[in-house]
């Protein structure tokens, strides 16, 4: 490893080079490759990787690995995924958006992380959350071989500075790629549409043997939208729809991986994968008690359904969505209409 002064100087130059390189417009994968290669050199790491959180899931998908790759790693992997619930350090990224370090000699390091290091032939690791436009987007991951020092506080400071630069570049690249997303995006609200929901829901119900996955579906319906349109005009109705969509996204940001979709004129569906259903309840209750100050003070009705999905489970996506829809309909018919109706589907 280099001397302290030389290392610090090199890392300052590295961050400056990164800022210049990532300041140019480029495709997302090219930006990730630049960042991964630059970080590997600056950290004197064996490997670096960038993974993305799959929306509507608790899964991170590796987009690129660079360096001295392990026996099961590829530079541009097609099917390298990790379940956040299986790794305590990924939980730090998910729940607290914290950078973490681990090493084989560290008695406090989670055993799952040590097993991963052994499988990759490495001795220490570091992971840092990538937050884009206020939402958890993914993770930056690095490893070192046996014989190299474990990652320390200086390494953490460098990677957090690099990831801050990378996050801005990812945000810009995603905006530039927005045209490709139009097929999956609701034009009025900017949230996902039914096509995106259906495609994201399918893998949530495809579970490997021995794996149990909790899937919860929340159905939301805006009350009195027609009255708002008839009395205040369709512009006011559109504003109401946009406000509800924005509130849903803001509320479910606290459950990373959740997917909010507009599936009808006054209907939304939220797909929550990997979180305990009890985490959905307080959000739904807050939402159902809100009113939007337009005309007849419209509110929303919520119903949800939840199931534990296994390889042997007979519960399908269609059944779970149908159960949530029935629960929402019962909530809308109740007095007061804000009452939460729950439909738990047996696995």
């Amino acid at each position: 490893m280099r001397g302290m002064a030389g290392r610090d100087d090199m890392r300052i130059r590295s961050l400056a080079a990164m800022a210049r390189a990532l300041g140019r417009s480029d495709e997302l994968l090219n930006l990730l490759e630049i960042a991964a290669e630059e970080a590997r050199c600056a950290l004197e790491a064996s490997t670096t990787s960038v993974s993305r959180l799959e929306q509507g899931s608790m899964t991170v998908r590796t987009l690129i690995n660079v360096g001295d790759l392990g026996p099961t790693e590829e530079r541009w992997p097609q099917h390298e995924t990790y379940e956040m619930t299986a790794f305590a350090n990924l939980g730090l990224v998910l729940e607290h958006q914290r950078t973490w370090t681990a090493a084989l000699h560290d008695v406090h390091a989670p055993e799952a992380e040590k097993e991963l290091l052994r499988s990759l032939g490495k001795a220490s690791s570091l992971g840092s959350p990538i937050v884009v436009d206020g939402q958890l987007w993914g993770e930056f991951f690095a490893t070192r071989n046996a014989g190299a020092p474990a990652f320390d506080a200086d390494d953490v400071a460098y990677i957090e500075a690099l990831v801050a630069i990378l996050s801005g570049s990812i945000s810009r690249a995603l905006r530039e790629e927005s045209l490709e997303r139009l097929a999956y995006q609701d034009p009025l609200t900017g949230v996902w549409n039914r096509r995106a929901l259906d495609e994201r829901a399918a893998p949530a119900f495809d579970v490997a043997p021995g794996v149990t996955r909790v899937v919860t579906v929340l159905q939301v319906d805006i009350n009195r939208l027609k009255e708002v349109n008839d009395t205040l005009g369709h512009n006011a109705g559109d504003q109401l729809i946009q406000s509800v969509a924005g509130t849903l996204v803001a509320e479910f940001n606290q459950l990373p991986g959740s997917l909010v979709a507009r599936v009808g004129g006054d209907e939304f569906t939220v797909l929550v994968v990997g979180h305990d259903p009890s985490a959905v309840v307080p959000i739904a209750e807050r939402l159902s008690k809100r009113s939007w100050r337009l005309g007849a003070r419209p509110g929303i009705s919520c119903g949800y359904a939840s199931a534990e999905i296994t390889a042997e489970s007979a519960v399908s996506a269609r059944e779970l969505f149908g159960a949530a829809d029935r629960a929402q309909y019962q909530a809308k018919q109740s007095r007061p209409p804000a009452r939460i109706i729950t439909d738990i589907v047996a696995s």
Side-chain angles (χ1 to χ4, degrees):
M1 300 289 282
R2 296 182 178 89
M4 184 70 70
R7 184 181 69 174
D8 290 346
D9 184 59
M10 181 269 294
R11 289 184 175 180
I12 291 172
R13 291 198 303 271
S14 166
L15 292 173
M18 276 282 296
R20 289 193 297 271
L22 297 183
R24 299 189 295 267
S25 294
D26 207 340
E27 294 183 357
L28 177 60
L29 292 181
N30 291 340
L31 295 173
L32 300 183
E33 185 174 31
I34 291 170
E37 291 285 11
E38 188 66 40
R40 185 176 68 87
C41 293
L43 287 170
E44 298 183 65
S46 172
T47 66
T48 52
S49 307
V50 180
S51 300
R52 182 172 187 173
L53 175 64
E54 298 272 88
Q55 286 191 295
S57 76
M58 292 287 284
T59 302
V60 291
R61 179 176 299 278
T62 301
L63 303 179
I64 183 171
N65 298 303
V66 303
D68 179 19
L69 303 184
T72 62
E73 292 181 301
E74 299 175 328
R75 186 175 183 88
W76 299 105
Q78 297 297 311
H79 306 291
E80 185 180 341
T81 60
Y82 301 92
E83 290 295 323
M84 284 200 164
T85 53
F87 295 90
N89 284 337
L90 276 176
L92 292 177
V93 170
L94 174 69
E95 300 294 342
H96 306 290
Q97 298 184 4
R98 282 173 47 193
T99 300
W100 57 267
T101 60
L104 289 179
H105 65 263
D106 183 358
V107 297
H108 300 295
E111 190 56 37
E113 189 65 36
K114 291 182 179 181
E115 285 298 321
L116 177 61
L117 285 171
R118 294 187 190 103
S119 72
L120 298 175
K122 311 302 179 186
S124 63
S125 55
L126 171 153
S128 187
I130 303 173
V131 178
V132 177
D133 297 332
Q135 297 185 47
L136 180 64
W137 184 88
E139 183 191 43
F140 204 103
F141 178 77
T143 68
R144 283 180 180 158
N145 289 328
F151 293 101
D152 59 19
D154 289 337
D155 299 317
V156 169
Y158 168 79
I159 201 64
E160 288 182 343
L162 181 146
V163 165
I165 297 171
L166 177 61
S167 295
S169 301
I170 292 173
S171 176
R172 184 177 60 254
L174 293 176
R175 288 196 298 271
E176 292 172 354
E177 293 175 3
S178 61
L179 286 177
E180 297 180 10
R181 299 180 63 209
L182 288 179
Y184 296 93
Q185 197 171 43
D186 174 56
L188 177 63
T189 63
V191 301
W192 299 105
N193 60 18
R194 183 181 290 276
R195 177 181 177 183
L197 175 66
D198 290 342
E199 290 193 12
R200 291 292 188 178
F205 288 79
D206 183 12
V207 180
V211 174
T212 299
R213 178 178 296 147
V214 179
V215 180
T216 301
V217 175
L218 178 74
Q219 296 283 21
V220 177
D221 186 87
I222 302 175
N223 302 322
R224 304 186 183 91
L225 176 62
K226 185 178 185 303
E227 292 181 34
V228 172
N229 285 331
D230 291 345
T231 58
L232 299 179
H234 285 274
N235 285 340
D238 288 349
Q239 291 173 14
L240 173 59
I241 294 169
Q242 291 167 335
S243 180
V244 171
T247 301
L248 287 171
V249 170
E251 286 282 357
F252 280 94
N253 274 348
Q254 61 190 285
L255 299 181
S258 300
L259 184 149
V260 177
R262 184 183 177 211
V263 296
D266 57 0
E267 298 175 346
F268 294 86
T269 298
V270 185
L271 176 67
V272 182
V273 179
H275 295 278
D276 192 287
S278 63
V280 177
V281 174
I283 297 176
E285 288 179 340
R286 283 197 301 273
L287 291 169
S288 66
K289 292 175 182 177
R290 282 197 55 163
S291 63
W292 281 260
R293 299 181 180 281
L294 290 168
R297 295 176 62 84
I300 61 175
S301 299
C302 301
Y304 74 92
S306 182
E308 289 188 349
I309 308 300
T310 66
E312 297 77 26
S313 172
V315 179
S316 67
R318 181 177 180 179
E319 289 171 328
L320 192 62
F321 279 84
D325 195 56
R326 290 192 299 273
Q328 183 277 321
Y329 179 78
Q330 293 175 40
K332 197 174 184 70
Q333 299 305 308
S334 67
R335 294 293 182 268
R339 187 163 64 93
I340 303 296
I341 303 294
T342 307
D343 191 338
I344 303 296
V345 178
S347 53

